[in-house]
Amino acid sequence: MTLIAAFGTIGAAAWMAHAIHPWLGYAVNVWFISTTVAVKGLKDAAMQVYRPLADGNLAEARKYAGYIVSRDTSRLAEPEITRAAVETVAENIVDAVVSPLFYALLGAAPLAMLYRAANTLDSMVGYKNEKYLHFGWASARWDDVMNFVPARIAGLLAGPDRLADARGGRRSRRTGRPALRPASSEPEQRDSRIRRGGRLRL
């Protein structure tokens, strides 16, 4: 119901704007699509980890890394903090940038907003616990389905040299850890993250 409501509401708003004037319809579509893309937030989260790392302040870097990953960061060494930040950015490039733009190209603002609603539901209740066992499972799986193609597009764009760099990719598979959400261990998210990890020798 949430996804249908998101799609229907944005679709109706875009249609009414277009009925008033086509250029208004285009403007409304562009504005709604812009709200589904979160480049600045992604950059800010990564820079909060980078700055203390660059200053050699591991305690501060661990604290901010803990804000963006789903594991204990209190004892992480500098390479592990770096890996955690890179993995998180790599995964969330799909959620925050590639997927919204992919669905915007397919179905303009309504489809982009439908994706954002699915992704938000996954973030809110896409965890396995007694209260949200079935509802959370459905949200997580639907998010996985919608991210399947965009995640592979992101992996191809970020790692076209992966075949020439297979050794680094294998090392990333052995050392990679889930970032930000438990759903990050899903194949489509892991594929995109592994490509980046392999290229950076993390």
Side-chain angles (χ1 to χ4, degrees):
M1 289 300 294
T2 302
L3 304 185
I4 295 172
F7 183 85
T9 301
I10 301 304
W15 180 84
M16 286 188 291
H18 191 273
I20 295 172
H21 195 282
W23 283 106
L24 179 61
Y26 300 145
V28 168
N29 259 289
V30 169
W31 184 80
F32 277 131
I33 290 168
S34 72
T35 67
T36 68
V37 178
V39 177
K40 186 177 184 298
L42 195 57
K43 175 189 172 184
D44 290 346
M47 292 303 292
Q48 282 188 318
V49 180
Y50 169 77
R51 291 190 186 100
L53 266 183
D55 294 336
N57 188 343
L58 287 184
E60 193 79 356
R62 289 185 186 114
K63 180 180 81 170
Y64 285 114
Y67 292 166
I68 60 174
V69 300
S70 58
R71 62 180 181 273
D72 181 19
T73 60
S74 62
R75 297 183 180 180
L76 294 185
E78 182 176 346
E80 294 171 316
I81 296 171
T82 302
R83 184 186 302 124
V86 171
E87 287 176 352
T88 299
V89 171
E91 175 190 342
N92 287 278
I93 282 175
V94 177
D95 290 343
V97 181
V98 179
S99 288
L101 293 179
F102 174 78
Y103 286 107
L105 286 173
L106 290 182
L111 200 55
M113 196 62 73
L114 184 147
Y115 167 76
R116 176 52 62 204
N119 186 251
T120 302
L121 276 175
D122 181 37
S123 299
M124 293 173 62
V125 297
Y127 300 91
K128 291 184 177 180
N129 57 51
E130 291 185 6
K131 184 175 181 180
Y132 296 114
L133 179 61
H134 300 293
F135 185 62
W137 179 90
S139 299
R141 296 292 76 77
W142 184 247
D143 183 64
D144 293 340
V145 168
M146 295 199 76
N147 274 322
F148 186 86
V149 173
R152 279 152 181 77
I153 292 173
L156 290 172
L157 292 174
D161 58 346
R162 188 184 178 202
L163 291 178
D165 196 26
R167 185 168 55 127
R170 284 194 296 271
R171 180 162 63 250
S172 178
R173 280 189 179 91
R174 289 195 300 269
T175 60
R177 297 179 176 85
L180 194 61
R181 298 179 299 164
S184 65
S185 62
E186 293 299 324
E188 68 276 3
Q189 301 288 9
R190 188 172 62 246
D191 180 73
S192 178
R193 198 175 64 239
I194 286 169
R195 291 178 188 271
R196 293 165 176 82
R199 294 181 74 196
L200 297 174
R201 300 293 196 276
L202 296 176

